[in-house]
């Protein structure tokens, strides 16, 4: 191919590994089909054989090693260095962020502060299921996605909704529908951080672009859910004011924070602001009374978490139990002190991350490590340049900011409010138990992605896909949709197809930032139908064996939203390119 005839002699003389676009019989289409084999292995293991994610990723990695070494003729030492680079990056900064996010969440659960916050919400909410649908399913679910992710919003919100009178199927279906637009910024921006690392694009540019896509869906999502839950009259005509307040407050904050601050806080800030806006609004406005939507708020299905902490019998798995089956306790008003405690973790983390971002604390002490055998040792044939391989170690990265917020909150609850000091250590152990498999999974999937990139396989696939031409922006959303459907994770979808989108975009002459962002934005629309998330959801509220029923209720919503995202990408690329960050 023409690309492969313009390699400088100096590159060949230095023994630099040259990525070939058509290494299999000098055929691009043949190389394309061989190159997608490792991807297909991962997706088939996940989607067809339903193997755990870490086993699927390991299987794909093994196949990718053989394809890279024997198909793309990558030196073995460089192949394993690429794997090592991916594993290191997976653990720092990605899992460092995820670990501390989940740690903070577990501290709130162990200390009983989470129960206080949940109780405060229900005490301030009128006994109307339509209102609770928006407050818990949409606003509070987004807040939980921003802090924890990993299925926590579905487990918590669906259980809370069942406890106040929702049909379990409805509770899970609408929780899944709501858990879409927040996912791209989940776990304090982990999907965006991962996408930036693999594509070489600025995380700020990616965050800004997603913040110019997802808010358009966020704006209408409360009204959309109310229509399908309660119908045109009871849902839209009677409840449109609360849908407007929730949609506008969330979408505007999501857009502003993602464009001005970065990917860490859009969900958390938007969730908090929309929650306060809606709860404040319903103190003065309520929908017309309807008996069929009356909620049962006479008792709260919440145990006293702190008593379990003190007795040492509390297990973090209780967050995945059906709250309606827990001990029922009468509602009692919260004191001002309890309200302050309930709000303290969310306020602390927002303040710390904002200060961290604007003061650029993450750059303090950072060290750029040029990865041996990779940095400037690979010739990127498609772009005619050497491949950089620099791992940026930042001891004060975002994960450290979250840890600082967690420590401050722990000091607050232990020394000021007098909670048991074991809260901190017990929450730490909970987090280890919850995430030990995730460490293996993310390490393996990142190792796979790095080998896929450095070997040149991804450039062959991306170059072939570029022949789709001007229809690619629409296809871009569906690539993300497929990856998230099978993997159950927006982060994994970005890992698998993020750089592929960039390669294809550059060859067609499209915006790489837009296509990479659309991969993530499209991926979130299939999270509601992912087998992993369906299984977790039905297990949470006692609907085991009814995954198919939930899938039938969510599949059309997923397809519709992905089509909207694909059309939006086309409009932004061709009609309003000024919306794309420079």
């Amino acid at each position: 191919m023409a690309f492969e005839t313009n390699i400088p002699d100096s590159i060949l003389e230095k023994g630099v590994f040259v990525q070939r676009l058509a290494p299999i019989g000098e055929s691009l289409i043949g190389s394309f089909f061989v190159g997608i084999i490792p991807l297909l292995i991962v997706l088939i293991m996940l989607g067809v054989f339903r193997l755990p994610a870490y086993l699927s990723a390991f299987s794909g990695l093994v196949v990718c090693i053989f394809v890279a070494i024997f198909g793309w003729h990558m030196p073995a030492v460089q192949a394993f260095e690429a794997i090592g680079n991916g594993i290191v990056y997976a653990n720092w900064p990605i899992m460092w962020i995820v670990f501390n996010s989940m740690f903070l969440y577990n501290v709130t659960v162990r200390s009983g502060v989470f129960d206080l916050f949940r109780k405060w919400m229900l005490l301030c909410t009128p006994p109307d299921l339509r209102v609770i649908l928006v407050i818990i399913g949409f606003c509070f679910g987004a807040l939980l996605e921003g802090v924890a992710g990993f299925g926590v919003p579905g487990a918590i919100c669906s259980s809370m909704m069942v406890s106040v009178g929702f049909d379990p199927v409805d509770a899970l279906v609408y929780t899944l529908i709501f858990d879409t637009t927040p996912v791209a910024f989940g776990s304090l921006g982990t999907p965006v951080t991962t996408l930036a690392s693999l594509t070489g694009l600025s995380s700020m540019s990616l965050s800004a672009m997603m913040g110019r896509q997802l808010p358009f869906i966020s704006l209408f999502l409360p009204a959309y859910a109310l229509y399908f839950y309660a119908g045109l009259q009871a849902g839209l005509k009677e409840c449109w004011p609360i849908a407007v307040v929730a949609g506008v407050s969330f979408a505007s904050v999501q857009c502003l924070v993602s464009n001005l601050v970065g990917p860490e806080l859009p969900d958390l800030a938007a969730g908090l602001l929309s929650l306060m806006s809606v709860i404040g609004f319903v103190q003065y406005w309520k929908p017309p009374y309807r008996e069929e939507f009356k909620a049962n708020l006479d008792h709260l299905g919440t145990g006293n978490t702190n008593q379990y902490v003190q007795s040492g019998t509390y297990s973090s798995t209780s967050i995945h139990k059906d709250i309606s089956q827990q001990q029922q306790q009468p509602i009692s008003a919260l004191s001002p002190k309890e309200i302050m405690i309930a709000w303290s973790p969310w306020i602390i983390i927002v303040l710390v991350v904002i200060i961290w971002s604007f003061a650029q604390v993450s750059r303090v002490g950072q060290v750029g490590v040029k990865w041996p055998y990779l940095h400037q040792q690979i010739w990127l044939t498609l772009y005619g340049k050497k491949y950089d391989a620099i791992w940026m170690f930042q001891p004060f990265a975002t994960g450290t900011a979250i840890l600082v917020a967690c420590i401050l909150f722990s000091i607050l609850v232990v020394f000021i409010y007098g909670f048991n000091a074991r809260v901190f250590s017990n929450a730490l152990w909970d987090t280890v138990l919850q995430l030990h498999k995730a460490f293996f999974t993310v390490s393996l999937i990142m190792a796979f992605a790095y080998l896929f990139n450095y070997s040149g396989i991804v450039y062959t696939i991306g170059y072939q896909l570029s022949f789709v031409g001007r229809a690619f922006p629409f296809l871009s959303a569906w690539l993300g949709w497929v990856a998230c459907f099978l993997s159950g994770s927006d982060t994994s979808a970005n890992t698998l197809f993020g750089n592929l989108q960039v390669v294809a975009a550059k060859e067609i002459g499209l915006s790489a930032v837009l296509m990479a962002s659309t991969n993530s934005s499209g991926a979130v629309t299939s999270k509601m139908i992912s087998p992993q998330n369906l299984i977790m959801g039905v297990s949470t509220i006692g609907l085991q064996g009814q995954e198919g029923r939930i899938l039938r209720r969510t599949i059309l919503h997923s397809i519709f939203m992905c089509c909207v995202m694909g059309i939006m990408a086309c409009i932004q690329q061709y009609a309003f390119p000024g919306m794309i960050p420079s």
Side-chain angles (χ1 to χ4, degrees):
M1 298 182 67
F3 288 109
E4 300 181 1
T5 59
N6 298 322
I7 303 171
D9 293 336
S10 59
I11 296 297
L12 298 175
E13 292 171 359
K14 291 180 180 179
V16 174
F17 166 58
V18 177
Q19 294 180 345
R20 301 290 181 181
L21 288 175
I24 309 299
E26 298 187 359
S27 166
L28 181 61
I29 189 66
S31 301
F32 169 81
F33 282 112
V34 172
I36 64 174
I37 290 176
L39 273 176
L40 291 176
I41 292 295
V42 174
L43 299 180
I44 290 172
M45 292 295 183
L46 282 169
V48 179
F49 294 103
R50 304 287 177 86
L51 289 181
Y54 66 93
L55 289 179
S56 301
F58 179 74
S59 301
L61 177 60
V62 171
V63 175
C64 192
I65 291 172
F66 279 94
V67 172
I69 294 176
F70 298 107
W72 267 252
H73 309 295
M74 186 181 195
V77 64
Q78 289 183 313
F80 286 100
E81 287 290 347
I83 291 171
N85 193 358
I87 291 174
V88 169
Y89 188 85
N91 287 277
W92 195 288
I94 294 176
M95 287 308 297
W96 181 236
I97 296 173
V98 173
F99 184 88
N100 286 306
S101 299
M102 188 64 76
F103 182 35
L104 174 64
Y105 169 75
N106 283 328
V107 171
T108 67
V109 172
R110 279 283 188 171
S111 64
V113 171
F114 183 83
D115 279 342
L116 286 177
F117 190 76
R118 180 168 57 190
K119 187 176 180 181
W120 173 82
M121 280 195 304
L122 294 176
L123 283 169
C124 296
T125 302
D128 190 299
L129 294 179
R130 295 167 295 178
V131 175
I132 294 173
L133 176 71
V134 174
I135 290 177
I136 295 180
F138 181 66
C139 304
F140 189 53
L143 188 154
L144 290 178
E145 180 65 41
V147 175
F150 281 83
V152 170
I156 295 295
C157 294
S158 59
S159 296
M160 288 178 66
M161 290 164 67
V162 169
S163 73
V164 297
F166 275 87
D167 174 78
V169 173
D170 282 341
L172 182 55
V173 165
Y174 290 102
T175 299
L176 290 171
I177 290 174
F178 281 133
D179 196 25
T180 48
T181 56
V183 170
F185 299 107
S187 296
L188 292 171
T190 298
V192 182
T193 304
T194 304
L195 184 61
S197 73
L198 289 171
T199 60
L201 300 172
S202 164
S203 61
M204 194 67 206
S205 296
L206 292 169
S207 174
M209 187 67 251
M210 293 180 204
R212 302 174 193 186
Q213 291 180 319
L214 295 170
F216 288 105
I217 293 182
S218 300
L219 181 64
F220 297 102
L221 199 53
Y224 180 87
L226 281 169
Y227 170 74
F228 283 99
Y229 174 66
L232 179 62
Q233 179 64 36
L236 278 186
K237 290 185 178 180
E238 294 181 2
C239 296
W240 68 265
I242 192 174
V244 170
V245 171
V248 170
S249 60
F250 185 90
S252 58
V253 175
Q254 186 183 45
C255 177
L256 289 173
V257 174
S258 60
N259 277 267
L260 300 178
V261 179
E264 296 87 2
L265 288 179
D267 282 354
L268 185 57
L272 283 173
L273 265 295
S274 64
L275 187 64
M276 289 190 293
S277 299
V278 173
I279 287 180
F281 180 69
V282 296
Q283 305 310 306
Y284 304 96
W285 174 93
K286 294 174 178 60
Y289 176 79
R290 283 179 176 264
E291 181 66 27
E292 64 268 33
F293 296 115
K294 181 182 179 181
N296 176 22
L297 297 183
D298 294 333
H299 292 78
L300 289 179
T302 60
N304 185 342
T305 307
N306 196 47
Q307 73 182 14
Y308 294 105
V309 174
Q310 293 172 345
S311 66
T313 60
Y314 177 81
S315 169
S316 64
T317 57
S318 67
I319 67 171
H320 299 300
K321 292 180 181 178
D322 182 357
I323 294 179
S324 64
Q325 297 175 357
Q326 294 181 18
Q327 180 182 358
Q328 300 291 310
Q329 295 187 350
I331 292 181
S332 58
L334 297 180
S335 67
K337 177 182 177 180
E338 288 176 318
I339 294 174
M340 290 179 61
I341 296 173
W343 274 92
S344 59
W346 324 116
I347 294 173
I348 289 172
I349 192 171
V350 168
L351 292 177
V352 169
V353 173
I354 288 177
I355 293 171
W356 217 266
S357 298
F358 282 100
Q360 297 184 337
V361 178
S362 60
R363 296 187 180 183
V364 176
Q366 70 178 14
V367 178
V369 179
K370 297 179 180 179
W371 206 267
Y373 299 101
L374 291 181
H375 181 65
Q376 297 282 298
Q377 295 299 307
I378 296 176
W379 180 256
L380 217 170
T381 302
L382 194 61
Y383 303 143
K385 65 177 184 179
K386 290 182 178 179
Y387 211 140
D388 290 331
I390 301 176
W391 173 59
M392 194 63 67
F393 174 66
Q394 294 180 318
F396 296 100
T398 302
T400 307
I402 304 167
L403 179 61
V404 169
C406 191
I407 293 173
L408 291 175
F409 171 63
S410 298
I411 292 173
L412 187 72
V413 298
V414 172
F415 293 102
I416 297 180
Y417 294 124
F419 285 108
N420 194 307
R422 286 190 298 167
V423 164
F424 197 84
S425 59
N426 289 339
L428 183 63
W429 180 241
D430 287 343
T431 307
V432 172
L433 293 178
Q434 290 164 345
L435 294 180
H436 68 280
K437 287 185 179 179
F439 274 94
F440 287 109
T441 301
V442 175
S443 294
L444 289 169
I445 201 71
M446 289 300 294
F448 174 90
Y450 269 58
L451 179 58
F452 212 58
N453 289 337
Y454 282 115
S455 65
I457 299 174
V458 72
Y459 294 97
T460 298
I461 297 173
Y463 184 66
Q464 179 64 44
L465 287 177
S466 68
F467 290 103
V468 172
R470 291 176 63 84
F472 189 79
F474 187 78
L475 175 64
S476 175
W478 285 98
L479 287 173
W481 187 91
V482 170
C484 188
F485 167 68
L486 294 170
S487 68
S489 164
D490 189 33
T491 301
S492 296
N494 290 341
T495 302
L496 292 172
F497 288 158
N499 203 36
L500 185 153
Q501 300 262 16
V502 171
V503 173
K506 289 182 178 179
E507 289 306 304
I508 302 171
L510 305 176
S511 167
V513 170
L514 175 60
M515 294 306 103
S517 300
T518 303
N519 184 83
S520 187
S521 298
V524 304
T525 63
S526 69
K527 192 173 176 69
M528 70 178 80
I529 60 171
S530 169
Q532 291 90 324
N533 291 302
L534 291 179
I535 292 171
M536 180 181 294
V538 298
S539 301
T540 299
I541 53 177
L543 292 175
Q544 289 88 340
Q546 298 193 46
E547 293 88 349
R549 183 181 177 187
I550 305 299
L551 177 63
R552 289 190 293 272
R553 291 279 301 273
T554 55
I555 181 68
L556 292 180
H557 299 294
S558 176
I559 292 172
F560 171 71
M561 289 185 188
C562 190
C563 287
V564 170
M565 197 58 66
I567 293 170
M568 188 187 304
C570 292
I571 293 173
Q572 290 174 324
Q573 178 66 61
Y574 301 123
F576 298 101
M579 293 183 67
I580 304 172
S582 56

